[in-house]
Amino acid sequence: MKVEVLEPNLVELNDFLRRFLDHSVPGPHHLTFKVPDLEAALDVMRSRGYEPIGVDLSDDEWKESFIHPKQACGIVVQVAQASGDMPAEMDPPAVAPRVDRPAALVEVVHLVADLVAGHELFADLLGGRPSAGSVHDEVLDWPGGGRLRLVQPAPGTDGAAWLGSRPGRLSHLVFEVDDPAGVEGAAAADDGTFTVDAAANLGVRLELRPRVF
C-alpha cells in the first residue's frame, strides 16, 4: 500500500482538489484500486449497479474512473489501469527522515453505515478477501499486503456519533513503527498503541503499533 499526498496545482485547469479542500478541509480524499483491464472492470461495475464517473481512457499509461462516495460507502473510490509499474524509488526527500527505518502501513480503517454494502463494494466488486470479522467489522486483504478494515459502529458509540448520517468515513491509518512513543504528537492509548490526532496530521488520524520484529 502507498500513501499519496496531494496539493492543488494548476487550479485554472482542474480545480477539483481546491474545491474539495475548501468544502471539506484537509483529510482523506480517495482509495485507489488497480485493475488489469479498466474497460472490462467498467462493464462489471455497471452490471452490479455502480455508475462510474470521471472515466478517462485517453492515456495508455494511466486509465481511470471513479465511484462517487454516495455509492462507495462515503469515500471516493478510484479504479485505474496502469501500464507498467510505478518507480521503485522516487527522488530523495527534501527533508531527511527522522527515523532509521520507515514505518510500515499495515491497515486502512474505514467506518461504514452498512457493513453489507461495504462487503459488496470492497469484497465482491474489488476483490478483497475476508480474513477476519465479527458482527461489527470485517477485515479484507489484497495480494501484496493491502488491508482494509470495515467497521460498522454500534449505535450509541463514539464511532456512530462521528459517522453521523454519512454512508461511510475513513477513520484512520494504522502503521507499525519501531518507537511509537517517539513520534511527534503521539499519545498512548490503553491497549498499548499510540494515536496521532487528525488535527495534528493534515486531517488524517494515525494509529501507531510497535513493530513486530
Side-chain angles (χ1 to χ4, degrees):
M1 292 191 291
K2 295 179 176 65
V3 174
E4 182 179 23
V5 182
L6 306 175
E7 70 173 346
N9 182 44
L10 298 177
V11 175
E12 65 277 9
L13 300 179
N14 190 338
D15 67 348
F16 88 95
L17 186 54
R18 180 72 270 160
R19 288 186 287 106
F20 172 81
L21 290 170
D22 291 343
H23 178 266
S24 303
V25 306
H29 183 265
H30 67 270
L31 301 175
T32 297
F33 295 84
K34 292 182 181 178
V35 296
D37 185 338
L38 181 56
E39 292 186 72
L42 291 171
D43 290 339
V44 174
M45 282 188 268
R46 292 178 178 123
S47 72
R48 298 190 181 184
Y50 298 94
E51 185 52 49
I53 60 175
V55 177
D56 186 350
L57 306 176
S58 62
D59 185 347
D60 289 338
E61 296 295 317
W62 181 263
K63 301 178 181 181
E64 65 181 9
S65 66
F66 299 87
I67 303 176
H68 194 279
K70 291 180 180 178
Q71 284 197 305
C73 299
I75 192 165
V76 175
V77 167
Q78 180 185 46
V79 182
Q81 175 186 338
S83 175
D85 296 326
M86 294 289 287
E89 295 185 4
M90 306 298 286
D91 293 334
V95 179
R98 286 180 282 178
V99 294
D100 294 331
R101 291 198 297 171
L105 174 58
V106 295
E107 189 173 273
V108 176
V109 181
H110 187 65
L111 269 58
V112 294
D114 184 345
L115 196 58
V116 172
H119 180 93
E120 289 175 350
L121 173 62
F122 294 106
D124 295 344
L125 180 67
L126 296 171
R129 299 173 183 175
S131 61
S134 66
V135 174
H136 292 292
D137 75 333
E138 181 175 39
V139 177
L140 302 172
D141 290 321
W142 281 262
R147 170 169 285 188
L148 176 66
R149 181 182 297 271
L150 301 173
V151 179
Q152 181 177 332
T157 62
D158 290 342
W162 185 72
L163 182 61
S165 60
R166 304 184 186 196
R169 195 175 184 186
L170 196 147
S171 173
H172 60 279
L173 305 179
V174 180
F175 287 88
E176 287 185 352
V177 298
D178 291 337
D179 179 21
V183 176
E184 184 177 351
D190 295 337
D191 60 359
T193 65
F194 288 74
T195 60
V196 178
D197 189 76
N201 189 57
L202 303 175
V204 182
R205 187 165 71 92
L206 305 181
E207 177 184 322
L208 308 177
R209 301 174 182 173
R211 192 190 301 272
V212 178
F213 292 91

